[in-house]
Amino acid sequence: MAGSRMQPQWQRFGFFWPLLLVGWLGGCALAPGLVMEPGSEEQGDVAFIPITDRLVYALSEEEKRKPSVPQELLEENGHPYRIGVNDSLMVTFWGVPEMMPNLPTVQVGGQDISQPVGTQVVQADGTIFVPYVGAIAVAGLTEGEARDKITAALKPILQSPQVDVSVVKFDSRHVTITGALAKPGRVALTRKPLTLAEAFGAAGGLTPQADASRVSLVRGDRIYQIDLDALQPLAGRVLLRDGDRVHVPTTEDKKIFVMGEVSKPTVIRYGRKSISLMEALGEANGVRQDTASGREIYVIRAFDSHMQTARVVYRLEAASASKLALAGSFPLEPQDIVFVGPAQITRWNRLVSSFFPSLLFLTTADNLQN
């Protein structure tokens, strides 16, 4: 109207300012982004636990009590090699040239020595062929036991038979090495006991992607977890048995996720046993000094191996240097999420930033109308 006075713009949008005030007062709840609600007690099905000196000490003592390798593996003794199917044997008859009439003999110490015809492979039924005797079962015997058995079988036929038996190709007993190795596969057992360290050497060694802290050894119905990083001085004492299966996993699933108010949100892959919360924050180039809250550093864990429970959130209030030092002693687990929350002023600034586009829209619309 011609005689009307134009209402000030701030009055025309008076309804908006109470909303802005409510947003200011409740900025923590309305601000965009993830907001944690910490507490010392279990909330719903999630347990919030503060990271304290007592907790860090308890975790450290628990870790010390864990053996790097089960004691029974260190107590394993070597056993004589037992002949098996597919092994190749060389059988020599001393001083009995008629056992091999078509072969030349040699003189050793005044005795004729009959030379063997190549080697014999132990058949599927566990036997080899011996002249004048026929098939003799040798599977499951040591070289000495096989020698004595053949000698006893020849005594009714020959006077003072002297026999030597040796395995020239070992192909019946193996361990299987799989996972992050240069040449995974089967490793044959020989008359010399095979150690875990030697088995890895035969398989070409670990690859750069190997997770040496989570090696598994399957023996029968038992599964042993071995930390090679801690085992190094003892790796030569762990003897393997026929049928053992050793697996070295990769670090592909061993990740830590660092997000929130950090300089470089990142995914950390690591091969050693564990990394600390401080190391994870360091990999993310530290917390952002301009936006982060030192009182809101969280470790979100889907399953906690120490507490044997699911859905645990640890909170570190790193408002002081002594509290921040705890981060260097708090161990992380695979798949942990490290989240650094924003400071209160950061939440408020983000809330205001989210309101201004709406205010600008209303102002523009009013200007167009007039």
Side-chain angles (χ1 to χ4, degrees):
M1 292 184 181
S4 63
R5 296 173 58 190
M6 182 173 291
Q7 188 179 21
Q9 198 173 63
W10 68 271
Q11 291 183 5
R12 290 201 299 274
F13 298 113
F15 68 90
F16 180 77
W17 305 110
L19 292 179
L20 191 60
L21 179 61
V22 170
W24 179 34
L25 296 176
C28 294
L30 298 177
L34 177 61
V35 177
M36 306 293 295
E37 294 293 340
S40 58
E41 70 283 346
E42 188 172 297
Q43 300 185 3
D45 59 351
V46 179
F48 284 86
I49 303 172
I51 298 177
T52 62
D53 295 275
R54 179 175 296 182
L55 174 66
V56 168
Y57 177 77
L59 293 177
S60 175
E61 289 300 303
E62 179 183 343
E63 196 62 34
K64 290 178 182 178
R65 290 192 294 269
K66 288 182 179 179
S68 60
V69 61
Q71 187 62 31
E72 56 263 36
L73 293 182
L74 297 176
E75 296 172 350
E76 176 75 14
N77 294 316
H79 302 285
Y81 183 82
R82 295 194 173 275
I83 298 167
V85 175
N86 293 326
D87 281 342
S88 297
L89 306 183
M90 180 176 289
V91 182
T92 305
F93 303 92
W94 295 72
V96 190
E98 62 268 24
M99 295 289 290
M100 306 290 184
N102 297 323
L103 292 178
T105 61
V106 295
Q107 286 281 330
V108 177
Q111 282 191 317
D112 289 333
I113 299 178
S114 173
Q115 301 299 299
V117 182
T119 58
Q120 292 200 55
V121 177
V122 180
Q123 302 302 303
D125 61 357
T127 65
I128 61 171
F129 178 78
V130 176
Y132 299 131
V133 176
I136 291 184
V138 294
L141 304 179
T142 65
E143 292 170 312
E145 291 169 345
R147 178 196 63 219
D148 293 343
K149 186 173 184 178
I150 294 173
T151 300
L154 289 172
K155 277 186 177 180
I157 303 170
L158 302 174
Q159 184 178 5
S160 302
Q162 298 182 51
V163 180
D164 183 42
V165 177
S166 62
V167 181
V168 293
K169 183 180 179 183
F170 300 87
D171 202 21
S172 66
R173 304 183 187 279
H174 306 84
V175 297
T176 303
I177 313 291
T178 60
L181 296 130
K183 297 184 294 182
R186 297 196 309 173
V187 178
L189 296 178
T190 66
R191 63 175 62 89
K192 180 181 180 298
L194 181 69
T195 68
L196 184 61
E198 291 168 338
F200 285 137
L206 304 181
T207 67
Q209 295 77 31
D211 181 0
S213 67
R214 295 187 298 160
V215 175
S216 61
L217 167 60
V218 179
R219 175 173 293 173
D221 59 354
R222 292 287 306 277
I223 301 178
Y224 299 95
Q225 297 297 329
I226 300 173
D227 177 7
L228 277 184
D229 290 334
L231 179 66
Q232 286 297 340
L234 303 175
R237 288 179 50 190
V238 177
L239 300 180
L240 300 178
R241 296 180 186 174
D242 180 34
D244 281 354
R245 289 174 291 155
V246 179
H247 180 71
V248 182
T250 67
T251 58
E252 183 60 31
D253 65 335
K254 202 169 184 181
K255 304 173 185 175
I256 302 294
F257 305 88
V258 187
M259 57 185 67
E261 304 303 315
V262 292
S263 299
K264 185 184 71 172
T266 187
V267 178
I268 304 170
R269 291 182 174 87
Y270 61 104
R272 59 188 188 276
K273 187 172 183 179
S274 67
I275 65 173
S276 69
L277 175 56
M278 181 69 79
E279 289 173 309
L281 293 173
E283 289 287 338
N285 289 345
V287 300
R288 293 186 57 180
Q289 299 298 317
D290 56 337
T291 63
S293 169
R295 296 181 178 275
E296 297 190 30
I297 300 177
Y298 302 94
V299 176
I300 306 168
R301 186 168 294 169
F303 180 82
D304 191 274
S305 62
H306 301 284
M307 299 183 61
Q308 293 297 303
T309 185
R311 293 177 292 277
V312 176
V313 176
Y314 291 95
R315 182 192 187 193
L316 176 65
E317 295 190 33
S320 65
S322 61
K323 293 294 184 181
L324 183 60
L326 292 176
S329 302
F330 185 81
L332 299 178
E333 295 187 0
Q335 305 300 314
D336 275 355
I337 299 173
V338 176
F339 175 77
V340 179
Q344 298 290 350
I345 187 62
T346 303
R347 293 177 181 171
W348 164 240
N349 289 339
R350 289 172 181 170
L351 177 66
V352 171
S353 298
S354 68
F355 270 100
F356 269 113
S358 299
L359 180 59
L360 179 62
F361 172 76
L362 291 174
T363 303
T364 304
D366 180 68
N367 289 336
L368 291 174
Q369 183 179 0
N370 293 289

